[in-house]
């Protein structure tokens, strides 16, 4: 996956002279199963994501029916040449195959091709009759779940193929129907996600190794899905409008859903949580839900565009690829196909070769239906005399013929006895071989049971190892988180300590300034108190002087009044006898008042001064 114009479709299909992942995968499959392929229509899809096995007669009738339909074009066989349009993408000389194949099974390959456009699924191999008057749009398909809880596209066309060329021709047919458009960033931009599915049906042979075992439950279906995702786009660069804008929005939304599913899977595995993975938010993730849940293997190819304009998109995709490497999908456990002994095909062929060799040694017929063998047997018999009767009274021809026939009958009896002896000998040999085979099968069964127990032990140990590894990774992740948290706390502690020291220094400075200000204020207060005390003493003295003057004036007036009263009373009594006037009181001097004030200042009175009337 990557942004647009990064080479995703080229990686899947390739170019002339250099095949991509799809033709190489098909070459690998057909080179491996080539000699073990079943005939056409032996395997038949059941429209429920399963396979049925037809008998030889039904398969033959299906093949005859297909050959008789002239309107249906025949797909090319492996002997025919591929279409020149894509022939250069397939290189048969670079053949590679799997060495580990079960030779006791028959195989058949089915392919299908779908696209996810605007979050709707369409079948690219569906044959729709074209109506020029009222053309019908293609019908979308729906996703369903089979009895094994695997997701599949209901009603999707599945084509049986027998060679790489035939499979790639089917792919090329669907590729021409895929939606592409011209944008400002890519001249042939894929507007949909495509999924090319290769199904490999496998069924075991019977005990004789001749025919396929007619048991649907023994059919094993493997599936390879090659997905070509559409590239992410930024509308400010593509300047898409209308339908192109809608397509880009659906493409980006499906890719975002895929990223969200991967992130939730990673979080569940790392942290041991069980969050629900939003598979149903997109058709692509919903279709491959079983792969991410452990029913298969997932491989992702990241395509990078070296252009400087795509730097931000490339960095986002690389971060997403780095995150996907941390997600582990559980590997599925392969179930056994059947309980029959292995090597049935090879053993049957070896038995036939041995039987042919023994018959050749004993001079017996290799194949009774062969006309050459019948001619040799007839030549070994005594020759018949002439059987022409020239005279009715001939009594020699018939006795000679009877004698020759009796000789032939004797030779036939001798040959029958030899044949019976040979058959008894072969029967005894077969019985011995069957006994040896039974003993070997018993031994193999014991060894297989022991091997199964060991495999169970190994699988349990592997599960335990996986559990411990997951637990170890979870613990490592938690330790990493705790270390990061501890570093953050230590950093916060250091910053708080620095801040505390700064505040303590500031507080010490403020305390020093406060003390200095307090000393200064105390001096100022003391000076002000002394000043105000002096001022108060001055004012009190002045007030006292004023009151004393007022009191003296009142005393003077009172004395004058008393003198007048006394004088008037004495004149009335004496009759005009003059009296002496009292002496005028002296006004207190300032020296006297100053002495009195000094005495009062030495011991000031506790009485409050009288209120002054304004």
């Amino acid at each position: 996956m990557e942004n647009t114009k990064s080479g995703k479709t080229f990686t899947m299909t390739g170019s002339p002279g250099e095949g991509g992942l799809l033709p190489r995968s098909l070459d690998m499959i057909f080179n491996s199963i080539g000699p073990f392929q079943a005939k056409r229509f032996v395997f038949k899809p059941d429209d429920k994501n399963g396979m049925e096995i037809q008998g030889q007669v039904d398969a033959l009738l299906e093949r005859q029916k297909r050959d008789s339909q002239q309107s249906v074009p025949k797909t090319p066989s492996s002997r025919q040449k591929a279409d020149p349009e894509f022939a250069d993408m397939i290189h048969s000389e670079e053949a590679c195959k799997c060495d580990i194949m079960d030779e006791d099974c028959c195989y058949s390959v089915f392919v299908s091709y779908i696209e996810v456009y605007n979050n709707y699924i369409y079948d690219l191999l569906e044959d729709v009759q074209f109506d020029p008057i009222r053309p019908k749009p293609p019908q979308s398909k729906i996703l369903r779940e089979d009895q094994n809880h695997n997701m599949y596209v209901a009603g999707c066309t599945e084509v049986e193929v027998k060679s790489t060329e035939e499979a790639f021709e089917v792919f090329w047919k669907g590729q021409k129907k895929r939606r592409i458009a011209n944008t400002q960033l890519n001249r042939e931009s894929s507007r949909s996600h495509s999924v090319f599915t290769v199904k490999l049906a496998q069924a075991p042979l019977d005990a004789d190794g001749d025919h396929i075992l007619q048991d649907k439950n023994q059919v094993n279906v493997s599936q390879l899905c090659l997905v070509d995702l559409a590239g992410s786009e930024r509308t400010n660069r593509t300047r898409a409008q209308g339908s192109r804008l809608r397509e880009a929005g659906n493409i980006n939304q499906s890719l975002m859903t895929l990223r969200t599913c991967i992130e939730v899977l990673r979080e569940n595995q790392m942290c041991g949580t069980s969050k629900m993975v939003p598979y149903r938010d997109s058709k692509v993730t919903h279709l491959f839900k079983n792969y991410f849940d452990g029913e298969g293997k997932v491989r992702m190819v990241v395509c990078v565009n070296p252009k400087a304009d795509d730097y931000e998109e490339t960095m986002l995709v690389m971060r997403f690829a780095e995150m996907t490497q941390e997600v582990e999908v559980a590997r599925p456990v392969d179930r056994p196909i059947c309980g029959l002994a292995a090597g049935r095909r090879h053993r049957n062929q070896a038995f036939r070769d041995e039987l042919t060799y023994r018959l050749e040694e004993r001079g017996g017929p290799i194949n009774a239906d062969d006309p050459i063998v019948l001619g040799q047997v007839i030549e070994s018999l005594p020759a018949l005399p002439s059987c022409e009767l020239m005279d009715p009274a001939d009594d020699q021809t018939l006795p000679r013929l009877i004698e020759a026939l009796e000789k032939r009958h004797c030779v036939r009896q001798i040959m029958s006895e030899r044949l019976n002896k040979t058959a008894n000998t072969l029967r005894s040999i077969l019985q011995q071989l069957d006994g040896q085979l039974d003993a070997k099968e018993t031994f193999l069964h014991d060894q297989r049971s022991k091997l199964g127990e060991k495999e169970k032990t190994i699988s349990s140990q592997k599960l335990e190892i996986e559990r411990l590894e997951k637990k170890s990774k979870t613990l490592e992740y938690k330790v990493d988180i705790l270390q990061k948290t501890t570093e953050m706390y230590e950093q916060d502690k250091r910053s708080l300590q620095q801040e505390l020291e700064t505040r303590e220094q500031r507080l010490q400075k403020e305390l020093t300034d406060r003390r200095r200000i307090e000393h200064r204020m105390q001096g100022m207060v003391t000076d002000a108190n002394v000043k105000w005390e002096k001022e108060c003493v001055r004012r009190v003295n002045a007030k006292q002087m004023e009151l004393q003057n007022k009191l003296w004036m009142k005393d003077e007036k009172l004395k004058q009044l008393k003198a007048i009263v006394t004088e008037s009373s004495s004149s009335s009594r004496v009759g005009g006898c003059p009296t002496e006037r009292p002496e005028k009181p002296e006004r207190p001097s300032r020296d006297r008042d100053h002495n009195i004030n000094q005495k009062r200042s030495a011991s000031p009175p506790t009485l409050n001064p009288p209120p002054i009337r304004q």
Side-chain angles (χ1 to χ4, degrees), residues 190-231:
S190 301
R191 313 309 298 168
S192 63
H193 309 300
S194 66
V195 182
F196 187 77
T197 304
V198 182
K199 285 187 177 180
L200 178 63
Q202 176 184 2
L205 298 175
D206 55 9
D208 295 333
D210 291 332
H211 305 289
I212 298 177
L213 192 64
Q214 299 291 324
D215 187 0
K216 182 180 179 180
N217 297 325
Q218 296 295 336
V219 179
N220 189 16
V221 180
S222 304
Q223 186 168 290
L224 172 65
C225 295
L226 300 172
V227 185
D228 181 13
L229 295 177

Side-chain angles (χ1 to χ4, degrees), residues 238-254:
T238 59
R239 298 178 183 177
Q241 295 179 355
S243 61
R244 296 291 172 266
L245 182 61
R246 181 187 175 192
E247 293 168 355
N250 287 310
I251 290 171
N252 295 336
Q253 181 63 33
S254 60

Side-chain angles (χ1 to χ4, degrees), residues 376-393:
Q376 292 177 357
V377 172
I378 293 173
E379 289 178 358
S380 63
L381 296 175
L384 292 175
S386 176
C387 299
E388 294 180 359
L389 293 175
M390 305 301 295
D391 188 2

Side-chain angles (χ1 to χ4, degrees), residues 18 183 209 279 331 344 346 513 553:
E18 185 177 1
T183 63
Y279 292 120
R331 185 176 181 179
R344 299 184 299 281
H346 180 71
D513 295 340
M553 292 294 293

